[in-house]
């Protein structure tokens, strides 16, 4: 059960290089100091061929925030991912004659500097659920004014960024500046070995999925016999064996998106509608609740009886101890906790609501990293920042992300083209929930899962946060005037 990582890496390279690239660039006058634009297509050999050929005379490109340290020039890199980052840093530094610098400082430092009119960094970055202060304090530059950012290119995830663009202004952007999109895809892991005990195998599950039949109804049927009272106490507790369960919010939050809905809708007037208690979401809620509470092969752990389910981050304990067949989670588990798995496991998208749903949807979780530029950016640096940002994301998509897969997933999957195809399917179905940009205040993004664990209705939950959300909106929309 070795080396599917090589297949996945090769597959992603093919997918990435085959993706169509449409570069939306802001027109600029051309003179001796301003680079002229080019409409040349991106080639497999050169991730920079769509960008101007220009030198910046050793100018510093400063990054503050979470992925900043990845952009240090580090000749002592010893692992495959660090080596890939080093190659990127060196290639961009030499191509454009720039110097990457890491600036220490979290979102609060970013806010303090910008409000103090101090231009201390070219780019800031933070997980989307944490970056609220830099947004809501009016600290950000409209990225549409940079020029040379290829908003329609796959390395910037156009669907996700359209969800956070208002009045044709984009104040933060999600893309391949690092590997956070890949790590934060909502997925369902499953234990291949345990399936065999129930006259199923990975080929069966993959076939059903590829044919569009991987649904909540299908899960409900196959997990019915998947329960064992492991501790023999006659109670359904966290020490027992189950076919399927959700407990933590990271496994509950993705269900509206997965089932073709949303808890917040950006309408045609660039306004956000609270849709948590919509009829569709309540149907999803009721079906999932029934699956977790009445199906013999499943259980819903509330805050009072989670027990050792959360002994490891994200509830990985039960899965690693082979007391859980299907494990809804997020892809980062494959890069961390699940590397310790002593069994063969596969990966699936979150299931559809029912067979009438035409497509799978993969929600990007709240750990995905936003990139943003301070409003203190001098006008003369707009081209500089736009070019280097786009060069970093483009290079990463073509050369770093595939290596990251190869390193992180090595020896984890069987050498099986079907599993590689699932990675393709999941990666191609990424979707973004607009409410995620408001983080934990007042918590619309997390409300579906919180209502599920509290066993309350979505109408009640929406009533608890609606007025606070409306107040947030009243402060949010003026940022895009």
């Amino acid at each position: 059960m070795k080396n599917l990582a090589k297949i996945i890496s090769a597959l992603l390279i093919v997918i990435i290089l085959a993706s169509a690239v449409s570069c939306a660039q802001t027109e600029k006058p051309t003179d001796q100091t301003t680079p002229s634009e080019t409409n040349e297509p991106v080639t497999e050999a050169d991730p920079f061929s769509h960008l101007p050929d220009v030198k910046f005379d050793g100018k510093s490109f400063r990054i503050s925030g979470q992925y900043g340290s990845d952009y240090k020039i580090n000749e002592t890199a010893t692992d495959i991912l660090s080596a890939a980052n080093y190659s990127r840093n060196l290639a961009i530094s030499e191509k454009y004659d720039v110097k990457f610098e890491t600036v220490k400082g979290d979102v609060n430092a970013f806010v303090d500097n910008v409000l103090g009119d101090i231009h201390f960094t070219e780019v800031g970055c933070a997980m989307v659920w944490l970056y609220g202060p830099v947004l809501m304090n009016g600290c950000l530059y409209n990225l549409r004014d940079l020029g040379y950012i290829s908003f329609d290119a796959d390395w910037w995830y156009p669907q996700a960024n359209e969800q956070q663009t208002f009045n044709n202004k984009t104040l933060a952007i999600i893309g391949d500046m690092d590997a956070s999109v890949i790590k934060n895809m909502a997925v369902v892991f499953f234990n291949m070995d345990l399936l065999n005990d129930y006259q199923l195998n990975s080929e069966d599950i993959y076939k059903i999925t590829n044919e569009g039949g991987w649904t909540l109804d299908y899960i409900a049927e196959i997990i019915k016999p998947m329960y064992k009272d492991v501790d023999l106490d006659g109670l359904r507790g966290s020490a027992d064996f189950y076919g399927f369960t959700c407990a933590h919010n990271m496994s509950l939050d993705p269900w509206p998106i997965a089932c073709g809905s949303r808890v917040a809708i950006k309408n045609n007037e660039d306004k956000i509608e609270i849709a948590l208690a919509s009829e569709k979401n309540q149907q999803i809620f009721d079906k999932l609740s029934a699956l977790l509470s009445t199906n013999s092969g499943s259980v819903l752990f509330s805050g009072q009886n989670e027990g050792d389910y959360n002994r490891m981050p994200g509830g990985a304990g039960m899965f690693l101890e082979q007391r859980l067949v299907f494990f809804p989670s997020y892809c980062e588990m494959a890069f961390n906790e699940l590397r310790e798995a002593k069994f063969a496991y596969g990966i699936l998208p979150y299931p559809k609501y029912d067979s009438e749903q035409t497509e799978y949807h993969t929600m990007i979780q709240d750990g995905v990293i936003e990139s943003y530029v301070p409003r203190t950016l001098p006008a003369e640096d707009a081209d500089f920042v736009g070019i280097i940002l786009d060069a970093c994301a483009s290079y990463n998509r073509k050369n770093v992300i595939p290596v990251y897969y190869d390193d992180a997933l090595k020896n984890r999957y069987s050498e099986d083209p079907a599993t590689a195809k699932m990675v393709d399917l999941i990666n191609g179905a990424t979707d973004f929930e607009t409410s995620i940009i408001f983080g934990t205040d007042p918590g619309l993004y997390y409300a579906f899962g919180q209502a599920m664990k509290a066993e309350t209705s979505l109408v009640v939950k929406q009533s608890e946060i609606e007025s606070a959300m409306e107040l947030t909106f009243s402060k949010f929309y003026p940022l895009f005037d």
Side-chain angles (χ1 to χ4, degrees), residues 21-27 37 144 147-153 390:
V21 177
S22 173
C23 301
Q25 300 169 332
T26 304
E27 293 186 3
E37 296 200 36
R144 302 278 169 176
Y148 303 105
I149 298 291
S150 305
F151 287 100
D152 293 334
D390 207 68

Side-chain angles (χ1 to χ4, degrees), residues 160-475:
N161 293 307
E162 190 279 331
Q163 292 294 314
Q164 52 184 343
T165 297
F166 298 84
N167 194 26
N168 201 34
K169 291 185 178 180
T170 304
L171 300 181
I173 194 168
I174 289 171
D176 287 326
M177 292 296 294
D178 72 333
S180 68
V181 173
I182 299 297
K183 292 190 294 183
N184 284 280
M185 297 187 305
V187 299
V188 177
F189 297 105
F190 69 96
N191 187 314
M192 291 183 176
D193 299 338
L194 290 177
L195 277 181
N196 295 330
D197 295 339
Y198 299 93
Q199 291 74 54
L200 290 167
N201 56 50
S202 61
E203 288 78 12
D204 297 329
I205 301 300
Y206 286 149
K207 184 175 185 294
I208 286 289
T209 303
N210 285 320
E211 292 175 350
W214 176 237
T215 66
L216 279 171
D217 297 323
Y218 178 76
I219 291 176
E221 186 62 32
I222 64 173
I223 67 169
K224 287 178 180 178
M226 297 179 183
Y227 171 72
K228 297 175 184 176
D229 184 7
V230 175
D231 58 4
L232 302 178
D233 65 353
L235 301 174
R236 296 171 66 82
S238 58
D240 295 337
F241 174 97
Y242 300 94
F244 172 90
T245 191
C246 300
H248 55 97
N249 279 348
M250 292 294 278
S251 64
L252 291 169
D253 298 329
W255 289 103
I257 286 284
C259 294
S261 187
R262 294 181 177 279
V263 302
I265 299 171
K266 180 189 165 191
N267 64 28
N268 293 333
E269 297 177 352
D270 267 6
K271 299 296 182 183
I272 298 174
E273 300 175 13
I274 300 173
L276 175 64
S278 70
E279 181 179 357
K280 176 64 174 179
N281 282 340
Q282 190 62 53
Q283 290 172 349
I284 297 166
F285 185 93
D286 291 344
K287 179 175 281 194
L288 181 62
S289 179
L291 173 62
L292 292 169
S293 61
T294 66
N295 192 296
S296 55
S298 187
V299 66
L300 175 62
F301 294 117
S302 68
Q304 287 71 44
N305 64 355
E306 285 175 335
D308 66 355
Y309 183 89
N310 281 327
R311 181 173 52 77
M312 296 187 69
M318 288 181 70
F319 189 66
L320 284 174
E321 292 165 11
Q322 301 201 64
R323 291 187 292 107
L324 188 60
V325 181
F326 293 100
F327 176 41
S329 187
Y330 55 110
C331 201
E332 188 169 9
M333 287 287 174
F335 304 99
N336 294 299
E337 291 83 7
L338 299 191
R339 298 183 75 156
E340 303 302 317
K342 305 301 182 184
F343 53 88
Y345 67 83
I347 185 170
L348 296 161
Y350 259 58
K352 300 176 183 178
Y353 176 76
D354 59 21
S355 58
E356 299 299 314
Q357 184 177 324
T358 58
E359 296 178 337
Y360 296 104
H361 298 283
T362 301
M363 192 182 77
I364 304 171
Q365 296 270 15
D366 61 3
V368 69
I369 294 180
E370 297 269 14
S371 298
Y372 40 83
V373 173
R375 73 182 189 200
T376 54
L377 180 73
E380 61 269 22
D381 286 347
D383 286 346
F384 164 60
V385 173
I387 289 169
I388 302 305
L389 266 178
D390 207 68
C392 290
S394 174
Y395 187 99
N396 276 354
R397 170 54 76 102
K398 294 172 173 61
N399 300 299
V400 177
I401 301 298
V403 173
Y404 191 91
Y405 259 88
D406 187 55
D407 174 57
L409 302 183
K410 189 173 292 182
N411 298 323
R412 283 297 95 208
Y413 295 118
S414 65
E415 195 166 84
D416 180 359
T419 302
K421 188 173 182 179
M422 284 299 103
V423 175
D424 178 10
L425 186 155
I426 295 165
N427 193 36
T430 53
D431 210 341
F432 186 77
E433 168 56 59
T434 306
S435 64
I436 201 173
I437 63 180
F438 300 107
T440 58
D441 185 20
L444 176 57
Y445 171 74
Y446 305 99
F448 184 93
Q450 289 169 349
M452 180 69 66
K453 293 179 74 172
E455 300 181 65
T456 189
S457 73
L458 295 181
V459 171
V460 170
K461 188 63 182 178
Q462 179 164 319
S463 69
E464 293 175 358
I465 63 174
E466 198 161 21
S467 59
M469 279 304 308
E470 293 295 344
L471 179 60
T472 297
F473 293 156
S474 70
K475 300 175 181 178

Side-chain angles (χ1 to χ4, degrees), residues 72-86:
K72 288 181 179 179
I73 296 291
N74 185 359
E75 298 182 60
T76 61
T78 55
D79 63 271
I80 187 172
L81 178 58
S82 296
N85 284 336
Y86 169 66

Side-chain angles (χ1 to χ4, degrees), residues 38 40 46-58 87-100 387-388 391-392 395:
T38 175
E40 295 177 9
D46 185 0
F48 313 129
S49 63
H50 66 297
L51 293 168
D53 188 6
V54 63
K55 301 291 186 182
F56 291 106
D57 302 324
S87 296
R88 174 203 59 218
N89 299 343
L90 191 63
I92 296 174
S93 295
E94 291 182 347
K95 170 70 176 179
Y96 296 104
D97 191 12
V98 298
K99 179 183 178 182
F100 286 111
I387 289 169
I388 302 305
C392 290
Y395 187 99

